Amino acid sequence: MQYKILPVEKIEKIRTNYIQLTIKEEEWASQCSPGNFFQIKAVIDSQNRRLFKPISIYKVEENYISFLIKVIGEGTRALASLKSGDKLKIYGPLGNSFPLVQDSNILLVSGGTGYPPLAYLKSKLDSSNNILFLDGGASKDDIFPCDYAYTIDGSFGIQGMVTKDIAEFVKKKSFDCVYSCGPISMLKTLAQIVDPIPYYVSMEAYMACGLGVCYGCVIPTKEGYKRVCYDGPIFEAETILWAEL
């Protein structure tokens, strides 16, 4: 897949360390599905020799694709320094997508930077579904619209890990499926709590190519090592060998 050089349509500061970056690309927008990601980097001198950053899709509205990005390193700081009209190198959409269901009770659980793919998923789930959305972060600056928010420092919502009350929610509600994205420790804990409910995870990993060529983002599964970028990033949780992660 060839990258394109596209202008930034809009860039907004959303939280202390978060930006929302939007591009316009009609063909790509028509191909996007919840769980897909793009490889992105800023077209500035400091990034010429650096790898692309894998960024999940946050929103797709008509011909516009938006990304919610946490600014935590040189690559994301370079993206945050851009202004409308500045250029990006970008290619995608990449990876597989979440299965969409109907007439189901659904639990969405995001932690840290795992919020964007679940927000996009929620926007695409049929209105026949009953959805409960939990989001967790270190502080109020890591929290985005949801039904229940959890913060480690207690600055917003309920103090504690986002997995804190899930066992109780599972007892009270008959969930048909669970979707999640966030730190591996969170995904692993959630897998133990919600079993045997069908559970789909969006895995995060360092990537070089994003196309499955370099095998730099493999995870252990019951079917051998799988590439997060090419075989995922969406996996059925029961297929992952969590003890080896």
Side-chain angles (χ1 to χ4, degrees):
M1 178 178 289
Q2 292 291 321
Y3 68 76
K4 295 183 180 181
I5 297 180
L6 298 176
V8 174
E9 286 290 321
K10 187 176 182 180
I11 189 161
E12 305 170 81
K13 186 173 183 179
I14 303 298
R15 296 282 192 277
T16 303
N17 293 318
Y18 288 86
I19 59 167
Q20 182 174 323
L21 186 154
T22 301
I23 62 167
K24 183 179 181 181
E25 218 294 339
E26 181 177 1
E27 181 181 5
W28 283 350
S30 69
Q31 296 170 355
C32 291
S33 296
N36 291 164
F37 67 96
F38 280 77
Q39 291 279 76
I40 302 174
K41 70 175 177 177
V43 180
I44 57 178
D45 289 344
S46 67
Q47 298 300 297
N48 286 344
R49 297 173 63 85
R50 290 190 167 270
L51 296 175
F52 287 80
K53 295 292 181 185
I55 308 290
S56 296
I57 301 167
Y58 177 43
K59 293 179 181 179
V60 178
E61 298 170 321
E62 297 181 344
N63 299 329
Y64 296 89
I65 305 168
S66 294
F67 307 94
L68 181 64
I69 302 169
K70 186 171 185 179
V71 183
I72 53 176
E74 186 172 340
T76 51
R77 283 196 296 270
L79 292 171
S81 73
L82 300 177
K83 300 177 179 63
S84 295
D86 289 344
K87 297 296 194 294
L88 294 170
K89 285 185 179 179
I90 181 168
Y91 60 97
L94 302 169
N96 62 0
S97 57
F98 288 108
L100 300 180
V101 298
Q102 295 180 323
D103 299 309
S104 299
N105 290 324
I106 298 170
L107 176 62
L108 306 181
V109 184
S110 59
T113 57
Y115 182 84
L118 294 189
Y120 182 31
L121 170 64
K122 185 181 179 187
S123 74
K124 291 297 183 181
L125 285 167
D126 190 272
S127 60
S128 65
N129 294 297
N130 181 27
I131 301 170
L132 181 66
F133 196 166
L134 278 58
D135 185 37
S139 72
K140 62 183 180 181
D141 285 336
D142 297 308
I143 298 299
F144 296 91
C146 61
D147 296 308
Y148 291 92
Y150 293 78
T151 53
I152 301 302
D153 66 4
S155 59
F156 187 83
I158 302 164
Q159 185 168 19
M161 305 291 287
V162 71
T163 52
K164 177 180 179 180
D165 299 324
I166 287 178
E168 289 301 314
F169 282 120
V170 170
K171 287 180 183 178
K172 293 177 182 177
K173 298 179 179 288
S174 299
F175 290 113
D176 298 298
C177 58
V178 180
Y179 302 92
S180 188
C181 183
I184 287 177
S185 59
M186 184 199 85
L187 301 179
K188 185 185 300 188
T189 298
L190 192 55
Q192 296 170 346
I193 296 171
V194 304
D195 184 64
I197 303 169
Y199 172 33
Y200 301 93
V201 298
S202 176
M203 298 295 291
E204 298 176 334
Y206 291 107
M207 298 178 187
C209 69
L211 300 171
V213 176
C214 70
Y215 282 77
C217 61
V218 295
I219 60 169
T221 77
K222 294 176 181 178
E223 300 174 351
Y225 284 99
K226 296 290 185 179
R227 297 159 289 182
V228 171
C229 68
Y230 186 79
D231 301 305
I234 312 305
F235 294 89
E236 293 183 58
E238 66 176 3
T239 68
I240 297 173
L241 300 177
W242 295 105
E244 297 183 18
L245 288 171

